[in-house]
Structures are given as structure tokens and as C-alpha cells.
Amino acid sequence: MPNRLARYDFSERLADLLGESRRDLRFRVTLMVSGGLVSPGPRGRGSPPASPQYAARLLIGAMAAPQQAQTIEAIRCYEDLRPAAVAPGDNTPRVLFGPAVAAPAAEQRAHSAIRLDGLRFGEALARLLELACADETRAIVASELFGVWVNRGCPVASLQFSAWWQGRRAVFSHTYGLAPAATPPAWLDPQRGGLVDPGLFHTVFLPVRKLIEIGCLTTLSDDRSSPMLNKLGHKMAAIANMAKLAAKTPHGSRWEKLLSTLASVQAWSEQVDSQENRLVEMSDFGANPGELRMYAYFPEQMPADAPLVVVLHGCTQSAASYNKGSGWSTLADRYGFALLFPQQQWNNNPLRCFNWFRPEDNARERGEALSIRQMVDKMVAEKGIDRRRVFVTGTSSGGAMTTVMLASYPDVFAGGAVIAGVPYRTAKGLQEGLESIFQGRQRSPDEWGALVRAASSHRGPWPRVSVWHGDADTAVKPVNAEEIIKQWVNVHGLPLQPTIEMPVDGYPRRVWQGPDGEELIESYTIIGMSHGAALDPGPEPHQCGTAAPFFNAVGISSTHRIADFWGLLADRPQRATGPAADAAANGRETADAPAAAASRGLDHETEAAGAAAAAGAAEAVPATGPVKAAERASGEETEREAGERHAAGAGEPRAAAGLSGGLDVHGIISASLQAAGLLKGGSRPRSTAPLGIDVPGIISTALEAAGVLKGIGQQRAASTSARGTLDNSGWEGVGWDLLRDDPRAFRGGSMLYGHASSGDAGTVGARAQSISRRVVLGPRPELSYVRRLDLNAAVNDYTSASFRVLVDGIVVDEVTAIGMVHQENEWLRQSAVDLARFANRTVTLTLEVAAYSNIYSTVYAKAWVDQMTIANAVDVAHG
């Protein structure tokens, strides 16, 4: 990395970043030199380098001193501030975002990888600038620090860190104050002529983005002896070195971006590893030529002959962090199967990736592939695992290694799931591996299939495969998902066109069925999702996992769906695979479609219509064939009535066109006619109907006309109805005002303003002000609005200020500051707040501001709200 700025040039750039006058910063530097805080030096050529320690002092002087003349005293006072003790009960000042959700009792606040224990404020700030300056640790600062806060009216400062707290995004404040015997600066000390000037004594906040920019302008010493750099940099150095090498390749910029992201992934992974680990390490599982480590998880209620899922982590992740993110052990507890977590070691790969691209590790009976096979053998021998129900899954490099295991040991694995991975044998080394992930390597289905068939002497049956990929993935190009599908469709001897296509939780799902109707391959494309696994965190039965780097909360759980695809969810109907003997051997049950429809709460007329539509194919098609697949497409979402969510950035509503009472009648009729030979399978019914006639559409329309089905066209229109705008004047309550023709409104016009305070005018305790209105919601309601907040609770560790949005008394969105100040100086848009649990109901929508002070010192909450709309609202009722 080239040398950064000298002191003189640094002050010029710092002034620009802080929005201050360059002349002002020059004078402060002069005062620092004359006051003996820094040694003198020339301004031009030969000016001393701007070290992080120098930058920290000048930054404190600019942030803390109300006037230039107070710079030296401000630096000396604030630099010496000591960390405050944490209040009893871990009541650390914090700001919480989003509604509270149920969290496991064992879940605790994630500890930061940046440990500043015992450091004074000046030392801690200098240490952060060091970390921001160093290539190998900058990403950690970006992922964990929220900003730096300084109070000019009181000698108090804080470093604010972003973390997760019991399922909620949170900002925690590490507060610094005066030592017991220290005195405040003169401008705050009445005994030394201090005068209170409210115009000067305000708080100053520096966001992490600017702190990193400042850090990048400083110069580290050559010996790089900082304890923090030594602690955090030894593993990150490999990433930095790889970034320098990758810069010379055609994909250098993309590789550098990925490496920067992986640094954040590693930081989170190390936090998880430092906490309680649910996994148990096992040894003595064979020769272990790949030099991997073996971890396992066994639920308390694991039955004899339980299934086994092999879970492969991604780069810079660990077995424990991947388990926490994906939620596999949560699912294992619910359904009683065992888990195996092979873990890569740093000395095998500098990014802790599985070496899926190396011929010595991606072939049968060799390297890492054989090590994983030996782990499976140990589990089968010692834990009584049913060797007919062994599955494998992974994400990123773990997804690529999943294709290696499926191809190399198809006789071991009954199924697999590849998340953000690549096809088997797409690369024969690192350079080809980079080309594969960044641009994709395309081959014909026959060429891909031949690579799998050549990997072993096995000739079938072949594992079932689930493929997941985000269409906004910039780390592993989404075309890889299509190439994986081509590879395994060819291996199974299936056509390229899927048998069934349908939306599931708002995302496209494709299915390739075998001759007997068994789902052999499935594919999910997660619209708008970047690299990583799709998650739906929460306490509901269909939810699991923890949102984190490379674990994306997009409203659909890949973990849950994959386990269902493999038939591991014991409390739901299993899929038949053919004859009853085969079904029993694989632990699966034959599902009854009409019974499944009834279990989803359909009315008798709709159930009868679906059964009648399928009756023509009843003899030719097993009950779990196309009817079951269509049922999955249409009915599975009703299982999620209380927890369904939208993916971020997915613009279309989740409602699938053509659904009636939760049943895709059109899809069931189409699948049944295809199975009966009346429609050509493998493509869309409308394009393959005899003579171009939409037979399923005619039947559906006839049933609708007969009164058996509700109007499908009307329902489609209702599901995609325009957003219902809530008139700002239609609210009732106290403590809120309608500000008309206010230029501060989001786009001019009117806006709502709410204010609540406590601790002033002789009042303490909880004070809340709210307004409400009645709203009639449609089938898929979503709330959006813009807001600005000013929450001031920085009195002590117990005072709080909050803004909440409630529906029938249930919080759906919230920001709460505890012992801190939270200000949103610009309008912030909250989009797609899910109201699915209140669908098709008349509800009370409430806006609330609240404040709590335990002493006679003012705590207040202010909120400005505008542009409030509800998608799929049938009607907005006033009064």
C-alpha cells in the first residue's frame, strides 16, 4: 500500500471530510504544536507522516472543542476519558431497530471482535484508526463500528458498535467519562469562568464511513507492532495478500470485493466461535487425507436409524458459524436427524475454503472428498445412521464441494442441495476456479453429465438435487445454477424443460419429475438476493437460522425447504417414490391429495372441485405426482400465515395468480391432464395445449361460472392492487399534529409530527402519545412510509425513547434508544413491512412516540412521518 498523507496535507483533507474550514484545522494544528502535543515539523516537503495517534488527537480537537482556543484543553480532557462500567444486568446504552421477536434463551449479544478493554478514549480512537488504515482489518471496522459520538456540553464520548441483540439489529454504546478526580474543561467549569452557550454545546457524531476514510489517510509505523493488528491481522493478512495477487487477474476488482466481504464473514464467524458451540468435535475417523476436522450434532430425541445431513460451510466460515446462520441444528431438534459438519483448516486453504477446484481433493478416494466419506462411515458405524438416508448440502465453496461429494460418492448420498455453488469439475485449478465463479463455464448437458458418470463406477439410482441461487449474486455468477441443473438433468436422463414451474413464497421454483412422479431435481431462484443462503429467521415451525453475512433474511428458508425436499420433515406428508416397498425403505409415506387440501382449510366446494379436476388422471398418476407438486406450489404458503415475509427488493406481491382458497386449481388441472396424456408435459400449459386451446383455463373458467370457484381474475386483480395511501388527516389521538404545507415534509405538503417527553415539568416515568385509524386490509398487506426520528435518552443507562408502529396493539416496526441519542437527520424510507398476519381483517393502525425518565432530566421522542401507504389494502376506513 503506498504511503499515506503527511501531517500538513492530512489536515487539509480532514477539514474537507468534516465539513470544516481548512484555515480552522490549520490553526488547530498550530495550537497542538505550540501546546506541546505534537512535535514541530515543516509544512511542505519533509512534513512528518500523519500517524493514527496524530489523527486521533486532531479529530478530538475538531469534534470536542466548541472554539479554536479551547482545542488543547479539549484534547487533553477528552483523550483521557475513561470507559464507564457496564450497568447491572448488562443494561448497556443501545438503540434497537425493528420489532422484538422471540429468541432462544441461549442467544446472547454477539461480542465484538474489536476489543478495546481498558483503553482510554484517545487510545481507543487511535486504535480504530489503525484498524481502518490496515488492509487486512478495515472490513472488520466497517462491519462492526457504527460511529463515534462526542458531547461538547458534557465531557462524555462514546464508541458505538453495531451488533445483533436477541434477533434485533442494535447499536451499542461504549461510553467514556471523566476519571473520579478529574475536572471538566474550563469552558464547562463555572469555577473557572465557564459559560453555557447552547449554540456551541451540541453533540457531534462521526459515522464509521468517515472514520474509515480518515484512517485510510494515515500512515502506520513500519514495525506494525500494534497489539490489535497483531491480534486481528494474522489471519486477515492472507486475504490481503490474495487481494494483491488477484489484482493482476482479469477478475481482480471482483475478487478484491469478494475478499473484503469475506473479511466481514470471518469476523462474524470468529464471534460465533467464541460463544457457546452446540457441536461436538470427533476424531479417529480414518486416515483423513484431506486433513479436515469433524464436528457433529445429535438431537436429544434422535431415533434409531436416523437420517444424516452433511453440512459444508463456505469460505472463512466455520462449522459452528454455519450452523448458527443456517439453523440446521434447530431443524434437527425438531425432526430428529443427525448432523455432520466437516470443517476446513486454515493451513489447507488461506480462506478456509474447501478445495473443490483441486484435482487432488475433488475425486473419489482422494483428499478432502475421502476425508468427508470417512466421517460419514464413522457416523454410520457408531451412531446407527440409516445409510440409505444420508444427504449433503453446502453454500459457496461448501456448495461446490457438495457437487464433488454427489458426483464422487453417488452411492453414499441419497440427495444433495447446492447453494450458490458451481457444477462438478468446472475447474482444474485456482485460475479456472476464479473464471467459473465470476463468469461461469458453459458446457452441453452431455458434457456435464459425462463428468459425473466418469467420477465413479456407479450407474444409478442417482441422488436427488436441490439447487438454490440468488439472481443478484456477484460473487458466484447465477449462470452456474443453470449449469448445475444441466449436469444433473442429464445424469438423471430428464429433459431440460422442467415438469412444473410455480412460485413458492414469491420466488420461482422449478421441478423435474421422474417417470413415477418423484421430484428428482428442484431449483429456486431468489430474486434480488446477493451471495449466500436464503433464510427466514424466526420462531415459527417453518423458520430457523440467524441473519448474518452470507445468510440473507429474504422470507424463505432454504434449510427448511431442502429438508422437506429430502423427506426429513416427519410431521408433514412424505413423498412416495414408487412401490410401497421403496417408500418404506426410504422412510417416506404416500400422501393423499384431497386430505392434504382439507388440512389446509379449504372449503368443501373448492376441495371437491380440485378432486374432480384430478379424477381423470387418478389411475395413471400416483397421488404424490403432479397433484402433490401442484399442492406444494399453491398450498404450502398457508402454513406460513403468521410468519410470511417479502424478500428485500422483490417488487411483486407474494400472491400467486390463479389461486383460489389457497389451491392452484389451474395448476392441478394442468398437471392432471398432462399425466393423463391430454396435455404435453415439460412446458407451460398455455403454449402446449391441443390446437392452441387453453383446456385448463376453460375448465377453471367453467367452474368459476358455476359458482364453484371464486373469481380467479378478480382475485389476481386484488392481489396486485395499487398501494392504498393513508390520508394524513384521517388520524385521531393526542400528542400528534398534522403539519400542513410544511416545507420540511418529505415532498412538501403535510406530514404527521409526534412528540412525547418525560422528566420535565415535574413528571417522571413512562409517557406515551399515540394516534390511530381503522384500516381494512386485503390478502397480502404491506406497509411503507418515510420518517425522521429524534430520540434523546442520553440521561442514564435506564432512560429510553421510542417510536413504534402497531397493528391491533402488536408492534410491527420500532426504534428504541436506551441511554443514547438516535437522530435521523434525513428522511428514511421503511418499505415492505409485512402485515400478512393481519390479512383480510379490519385493524387499528397506531403510531406511537414514548419517553421514560427516572429522574427530573428531560428525555424526549420526536417523529415526523409521511407517505404512509399499504399495498393490497382493500379499503382505508376513516374514524
Side-chain angles (χ1 to χ4, degrees), residues 388-437:
R388 296 167 299 179
R389 291 191 292 164
V390 179
F391 307 90
V392 60
T393 183
T395 300
S396 195
S397 76
M401 200 66 189
T402 295
T403 63
V404 170
M405 300 310 298
L406 291 174
S408 301
Y409 295 101
D411 51 328
V412 173
F413 298 100
V418 185
I419 304 173
V422 296
Y424 175 63
R425 285 292 175 92
T426 184
K428 297 180 181 177
L430 178 59
Q431 186 60 41
E432 289 187 1
L434 292 175
E435 293 177 3
S436 297
I437 64 175

Side-chain angles (χ1 to χ4, degrees), residues 50 116 125 134 180 209 280 294 309 398 439-440 484 505 564 569 571 623 632 646 651 736 808 824 834:
L116 305 171
L125 186 59
R209 172 182 57 82
V280 177
M294 176 183 178
V309 177
Q439 68 183 33
I484 295 171
D505 289 348
D564 182 33
L569 308 190
D571 67 337
R632 277 180 61 94
H646 275 280
W736 286 74
D808 282 350
E824 297 171 356
D834 183 29

Side-chain angles (χ1 to χ4, degrees), residues 22-108:
R22 290 189 173 187
R23 179 178 297 178
D24 178 86
L25 266 293
R26 291 190 203 118
F27 186 68
R28 293 181 190 271
V29 171
T30 300
L31 291 175
M32 289 171 60
V33 173
S34 62
L37 293 181
V38 296
S39 58
R43 286 191 173 185
R45 187 181 301 275
S47 177
S51 67
Q53 292 73 23
Y54 169 84
R57 285 185 165 178
L58 182 55
L59 186 57
I60 290 175
M63 294 179 67
Q67 297 177 340
Q68 292 176 341
Q70 298 156 346
T71 298
I72 301 302
E73 192 171 10
I75 294 175
R76 286 175 172 159
C77 175
Y78 282 78
E79 189 177 40
D80 195 51
L81 295 181
R82 311 299 174 89
V86 177
D90 200 21
N91 197 53
T92 309
R94 56 195 182 274
V95 178
L96 304 176
F97 300 89
V101 296
E107 183 180 348
Q108 299 294 331

Side-chain angles (χ1 to χ4, degrees), residues 422-458:
V422 296
Y424 175 63
R425 285 292 175 92
T426 184
K428 297 180 181 177
L430 178 59
Q431 186 60 41
E432 289 187 1
L434 292 175
E435 293 177 3
S436 297
I437 64 175
F438 289 140
Q439 68 183 33
R441 298 171 68 86
Q442 298 184 351
R443 294 186 172 99
S444 69
D446 288 338
E447 290 175 312
W448 282 126
L451 292 173
V452 173
R453 286 184 288 270
S456 72
S457 59
H458 185 76

